[in-house]
Amino acid sequence: MQRLLAEGSALLGAVPLCARLDAEVLLAHVLGRPRSALIAHAEQCVDAAAVARYRMLLVRRAGGEPIAYLIGEREFWSLMLAVSPAVLIPRPETEQVVERTLALLPERPRADDEIRVADLGTGSGAIALALSCERPLWKLTATDQSAAALQLARGNAARARLDRIEFLEGDWFAPLGARRFHAIVSNPPYVAGGNVAMRTLRFEPAAALSPGPCGLEALHHLIALARRHLETGGWLVLEHGADQAVEVAAALVAAGYARVRCHRDLAGHDRVTEAQWED
Ligand SMILES: C[S@@+](CC[C@H](N)C(=O)[O-])C[C@H]1O[C@@H](n2cnc3c(N)ncnc32)[C@H](O)[C@@H]1O
């Protein structure tokens, strides 16, 4: 095993610590064992078929393919989610959308009401599943225009035994009819089409990353239409690019939202903006 890990680290090269970690994650995945087992059983032999699978994954990793796609999963909010090239790989900064939504709404509904939250552009289901996990009494609606993404999200919900999430296919608000929610949350595509970042993100679905040439198209659409689907006092919580906070806040104010507030991620970037709709 040590020889295989050294071979993997050398092939993945440029960043030695990441190379070693990636090699360990890939070998552990191929062997179906935890990474710790590689250290505990360092002298154990690996059969030829597993070595061939491992080497194939190393080559794909060296070509830039994200590790999450190679092993088919990524952790988000302590939930292990299946991912495929049909969905964006959930990012740690998106956990702030979850944190803010939990902070803004009451845990329990009043009397005979229910708390309804919509996650638009759910992808792997990351935000909806995290919210449902923390607030089992809330009714979650998760939408996406991608049937493949929804299939994956449904599977993730089933594996996590979260059965209070409804999945609907369609363009942003289209599948919601006239329904209203206590919060609408979204991590929409927000990278400008021509941005160089699109090249480094080339393995992820373009429709999950970029809404068009300017990058703000989906955010503007969500801001304009969400108010028709929010209860009085309901919240819109949006993730956006670090350089889009000013435009997002201005659009929210212009559309008549109150209590517009932006939050920084751990790296100090303005990444999540919330606003309240008061009819
Ligand atoms: C940035 S990804 C976010 C995925 C997931 N919510 C997360 O945070 O990991 C954006 C998602 O929006 C979906 N999407 C893009 N355009 C859409 C549209 N017009 N209507 C509905 N969903 C859309 C994409 O398919 C993708 O799953």
Side-chain angles (χ1 to χ4, degrees):
M1 274 195 215
Q2 288 310 312
R3 196 177 44 76
L4 287 170
L5 290 173
E7 177 188 328
S9 304
L11 186 75
L12 301 180
V15 191
L17 197 61
C18 289
R20 171 75 189 194
L21 180 64
D22 285 1
E24 286 181 11
V25 169
L26 292 177
L27 186 56
H29 170 69
V30 163
L31 298 177
R33 307 173 76 174
R35 262 176 61 222
S36 55
L38 304 184
I39 296 151
H41 306 286
E43 303 315 319
Q44 203 169 312
C45 286
V46 178
D47 70 69
V51 171
R53 280 205 307 282
Y54 169 64
R55 286 186 174 143
M56 200 181 66
L57 290 178
L58 284 177
V59 169
R60 289 170 61 188
R61 182 69 190 124
E65 227 170 305
I67 203 104
Y69 288 158
L70 296 179
I71 65 170
E73 60 184 17
R74 171 56 52 93
E75 192 175 336
F76 180 85
W77 200 268
S78 300
L79 293 163
M80 195 50 88
L81 302 177
V83 295
S84 79
V87 297
L88 185 97
I89 299 163
R91 308 292 205 267
E93 50 268 33
T94 302
E95 293 193 342
Q96 203 173 21
V97 174
V98 177
E99 281 167 20
R100 288 311 306 152
T101 311
L102 293 175
L104 290 168
L105 297 184
E107 191 172 340
R108 292 169 178 281
R110 250 183 272 128
D112 55 349
D113 201 7
E114 62 177 2
I115 293 174
R116 294 179 301 282
V117 177
D119 169 24
L120 304 189
T122 196
S124 62
I127 299 173
L129 267 69
L131 289 173
S132 190
C133 189
E134 293 296 327
R135 297 287 186 265
L137 295 178
W138 291 5
K139 175 77 175 48
L140 267 297
T141 300
T143 76
D144 207 290
Q145 68 173 2
S146 158
L150 285 175
Q151 194 182 349
L152 204 89
R154 279 195 191 95
N156 281 329
R159 259 188 308 284
R161 297 179 192 281
L162 297 168
D163 58 6
R164 292 274 291 166
I165 311 175
E166 164 192 41
F167 293 95
L168 301 174
E169 184 181 336
D171 185 67
W172 299 128
F173 299 90
L176 301 179
R179 285 198 245 173
R180 287 183 182 266
F181 299 86
H182 299 92
I184 293 174
V185 305
S186 185
N187 170 21
Y190 53 72
V191 182
N195 192 307
V196 284
M198 288 298 284
R199 246 177 283 148
T200 50
L201 300 169
R202 68 190 185 283
F203 289 96
E204 295 183 83
L209 294 166
S210 176
C214 131
L216 286 159
E217 293 88 340
L219 285 158
H220 280 307
H221 182 72
L222 292 170
I223 290 168
L225 269 69
R227 54 197 171 163
R228 293 189 206 155
H229 295 274
L230 283 171
E231 296 285 0
T232 301
W235 291 91
L236 178 60
V237 182
L238 295 170
E239 180 173 328
H240 48 73
D243 56 350
Q244 294 170 330
V246 172
E247 282 108 325
V248 167
L252 286 162
V253 170
Y257 290 84
R259 279 173 273 288
V260 177
R261 189 171 162 208
C262 182
H263 299 271
R264 294 206 164 137
D265 64 17
L266 291 175
H269 300 129
D270 292 328
R271 292 308 294 267
V272 171
T273 296
E274 69 201 26
Q276 194 171 31
W277 182 249
E278 295 175 329
D279 272 322

